[in-house]
Amino acid sequence: MWRILGGLFLGWSLGANHSANIFGTAVASGLVRFSQALWLTAAYVVLGAVMEGAKCMSTYGKLALVHADTAFILTLSTAVTMTMLTRAGVPASTSQALVGAILGWSIVEASPDFSQLTRIVLCWTLTPISASLSSAFLHRALAKLVVDRITSFSARNRFYSVAVLLTGCYAAYGLGANSVANVTGIYVTSGLLNTNVGAIIGGLSIALGVLTYSGRVMMTVGKGIVPLDPFSAMVVVFAEAVTLHLFTQIGVPVSSSQAVVGAIVGIGVAKGLQTINIRVVLKIGLGWILTPVCAGALTLAVHALLMLTGVASLNSLFAKALAFVSQLNLW
C-alpha cells in the first residue's frame, strides 16, 4: 500500500494548484475571505469526489495497461511536475501532466491506445473554449436579467456575496467530482484500490493541498489575467462550474485551470480585448504546453533509472537502497 503515497502527493499538489480556480477571482475581488475560501473549497471537493468521482475513474486505464508499481511512478512524476508549476505560480493541468506521464511510460513499455487519446485531447481543446463562451454569454445575460434590475448598491453587493459563495461551492464540488480521477484513478484501474476508497483518499488529499499551499496560484488567477469586478468574478466561477460538471457527466477528467482561464478570457473579450494581460496568458499557455512534456520526461528518467539498476520492481529497488544504507553504518 506504500505505492498510494504517489497518489497522495499528487492529490496535495492538485489541491494546491487548482483551488485558485474556485475562489481565486472572488478572493482577489474582495467578495470572500481567503480562509473562508479554503475551508469551503476543501469541504465541497471531498463531497464531489465521494458523490460523483467514480464517473471518470476508468478513463486513464483505457490509455494503457497500468500496474501498481507503474501507478506509483506515474503519480509521482505528475506530482513533481505540478509542484514545480505551482511554485512558478502557473495554473496548470493535472490531467495533461498525467496523460504525458502515461504516454512517456507507454512509449517504452507498451503501446498506448491513441483512439482514447484523441477523445481526451478533443475535450482539453473544448474545455477553455466552452468556458469562454459560457462566461461571455452569462456575463451579458445575468447583467441584463438580474443585476441591472437591482438598483440599491448594498442590495447588489449582498447579491454578489451570496451568489459567489453558492457558485464557488458548486465549482468546488465539480473539481472534486472531475479531478479525483487524476489522483487515484490509475490505482483503481490497476486493482490496488476500489472505487469508493479511491474517491475518499483522493478527495482528502486534494483538500489537504487546498488548505496548506494554495495562495501563490490564487493570486495569478485572481488578478493576473483580467481585472475583475465582483459581478465578473461570480460569472467566471459559475461558467467554470458548469463546464466541469458537463465533462464529468461524459466521464472525461478535464482541467479546471483551463476552464477558469478560458472563462476569464471570455470576460475579457466581453469587456474589451485591451483588458486582457497578454503576457500572463502567454505564460499560462507555455505552462500548459510544457506540463505533459515535463511529466513524460520525468517518467522516462525513472524508467531509465530502473533499467540501469536492473531491478524488476520498485520493491526490489527499495530493498537494494535499504541494504546499501545499512552498509554505511550511519547509526
Side-chain angles (χ1 to χ4, degrees), residues 223-228 264-278 281:
K223 293 182 176 179
I225 303 173
V226 175
L228 295 174
I264 294 174
V265 171
I267 294 293
V269 172
K271 297 171 70 173
L273 293 177
Q274 70 279 3
T275 62
I276 300 174
N277 189 330
I278 299 298
V281 173

Side-chain angles (χ1 to χ4, degrees), residues 98-137:
L98 184 57
V99 168
I102 292 174
L103 292 180
W105 187 267
S106 299
I107 288 172
V108 291
E109 282 291 320
S111 297
D113 185 349
F114 285 106
S115 64
Q116 294 298 323
L117 181 64
T118 303
R119 178 179 178 231
I120 293 173
V121 171
L122 178 61
C123 290
W124 286 350
T125 306
L126 291 176
T127 299
I129 295 174
S130 301
S132 179
L133 294 175
S134 296
S135 66
F137 170 77

Side-chain angles (χ1 to χ4, degrees), residues 14-25:
L14 188 155
N17 192 284
H18 291 6
S19 65
N21 305 336
I22 307 302
F23 281 113
T25 55

Side-chain angles (χ1 to χ4, degrees), residues 155-185:
R156 186 174 290 184
N157 274 347
R158 284 197 298 274
F159 168 75
Y160 290 151
S161 298
V162 173
V164 82
L165 283 176
L166 292 176
T167 52
C169 292
Y170 177 35
Y173 178 90
L175 176 66
N178 191 278
S179 297
V180 73
N182 295 325
V183 178
T184 51

